[in-house]
Amino acid sequence: TCALPILMLGGHPLLFSPPELELLNFNTLAERKAAFEGRNSFWLEGAVRALMEINEWDATRAGSFVESCEDNAVSTKQFYRMIQDGIGKKILVDKTPAYSLDLETLKRAEADFDNPIYIHLLRHPCGMIHSFEKAKIEQIFTRYHHPFAARELAELLWLIGHQNILEFLKQIPAHRQYRLSFERLLQSPGQVMEEVCRVLNLEFCPDMLQPYKDKKKRMTDGVHAVSRMIGDIKFNQHSEINAAVAESWKQYYSEDQLGDV
């Protein structure tokens, strides 16, 4: 529920930041398709949108290619290779939030890739909960039946995700991880993005500070004209970075509403 930092990365010419790919948590594209049937099929669109951008294909051609990969049991690792071959020297940014909900999925990133770099995006839990409820993310994010209200679910997702991330990063060398504070980013966007670029061994690009510029190039549009942006559906309601957003949750929540954990 916090797309801004990752979409800022999409402003760098040497970073390729497509919508949620939902690849690392499956062995093959066939498994991935089976997991997202019916109303959850929109989670399959991130890979289609990536291929549209890489190859300058329309949605039909890109969708047909993904379907052929599903039918031929192409592994997700092979599909990652196809994407990397297509983007050349650019660095792929896989920003799928669901990975953090399973520690074994995070470990697969370390096993399948050569020295990947991890950006740990951290936002105050009350800010995340407020954004989650306001955008009604519970209607699209959860894939299983559960007994929790939206506010409870948001807090659980924050908690479990960060517990897994912190446990996983214990085994990762310091030079291959960076903690990105959403609140600090809003206050000092230039400084934070310069730090991110140093971690990625890239020169800073000023376009990173204009996340609402060239929205189509940053793939914030859907695969089809009627598609919604996957992820932060409120993103397109903004036109500039607004530092006040960092603490806007204080009008609605207090920290003592959080669970003891």
Side-chain angles (χ1 to χ4, degrees), residues 18-237:
E20 285 80 347
L21 291 174
E22 296 286 354
L23 290 170
L24 196 63
N25 35 357
F26 301 102
N27 293 312
T28 68
L29 265 68
E31 287 183 6
R32 176 176 173 270
K33 180 180 180 180
F36 297 126
E37 294 180 333
R39 66 182 298 273
N40 288 321
S41 63
F42 68 91
W43 289 110
L44 301 173
E45 293 186 357
V48 175
R49 185 64 185 85
L51 293 177
M52 291 170 64
E53 187 69 20
I54 292 170
N55 300 303
E56 297 183 352
W57 289 345
D58 61 19
T60 300
R61 184 173 181 183
S64 295
F65 183 86
V66 172
E67 287 180 4
S68 69
C69 291
E70 294 164 348
D71 293 340
N72 290 288
V74 170
S75 72
T76 52
K77 191 172 182 179
Q78 288 173 317
F79 195 80
Y80 273 121
R81 169 51 62 188
M82 293 177 189
I83 292 177
Q84 189 62 61
D85 288 344
I87 63 177
K89 295 182 179 180
K90 291 183 180 181
I91 298 173
L92 171 64
V93 180
D94 188 345
K95 59 187 183 185
T96 308
Y99 298 164
S100 68
L101 300 179
D102 180 58
L103 183 57
E104 294 306 313
T105 295
L106 294 176
K107 291 179 180 178
R108 289 187 66 171
E110 193 66 10
D112 287 357
F113 294 91
D114 183 17
N115 292 318
I117 295 171
Y118 302 95
I119 297 177
H120 177 192
L121 174 57
L122 182 66
R123 184 177 188 179
H124 191 289
C126 289
M128 179 272 188
I129 293 168
H130 177 229
S131 178
F132 189 97
E133 283 199 291
K134 188 175 181 181
K136 301 185 185 303
I137 300 296
E138 76 280 359
Q139 296 181 5
I140 65 168
F141 191 83
T142 51
R143 299 154 190 180
Y144 310 100
H145 293 295
H146 61 82
F148 306 107
R151 201 210 67 78
E152 295 173 317
L153 179 63
E155 183 173 344
L156 281 168
L157 293 174
W158 189 101
L159 178 62
I160 294 170
H162 287 295
Q163 285 178 333
N164 286 334
I165 290 169
L166 292 174
E167 180 64 26
F168 171 69
L169 291 179
K170 287 179 181 178
Q171 310 302 319
I172 305 301
H175 70 277
R176 286 203 286 118
Q177 55 176 288
Y178 176 81
R179 180 174 293 180
L180 196 165
S181 163
F182 177 70
E183 289 79 11
R184 181 167 171 257
L185 174 68
L186 293 184
Q187 296 295 330
S188 305
Q191 182 179 349
V192 172
M193 283 295 110
E194 286 179 0
E195 292 174 1
V196 171
C197 287
R198 283 197 292 271
V199 173
L200 297 175
N201 197 28
L202 297 173
E203 290 187 10
F204 172 71
C205 175
D207 277 352
M208 299 176 78
L209 303 183
Q210 301 184 55
Y212 303 99
K213 175 184 176 183
D214 299 328
K215 291 183 178 181
K216 188 175 188 299
K217 182 179 179 181
R218 296 178 195 234
M219 293 173 276
T220 63
D221 55 337
V223 169
H224 306 286
V226 296
S227 297
R228 294 191 303 176
M229 174 189 173
I230 302 174
D232 189 347
I233 59 176
K234 298 186 298 176
F235 176 79
N236 286 316
Q237 298 174 12

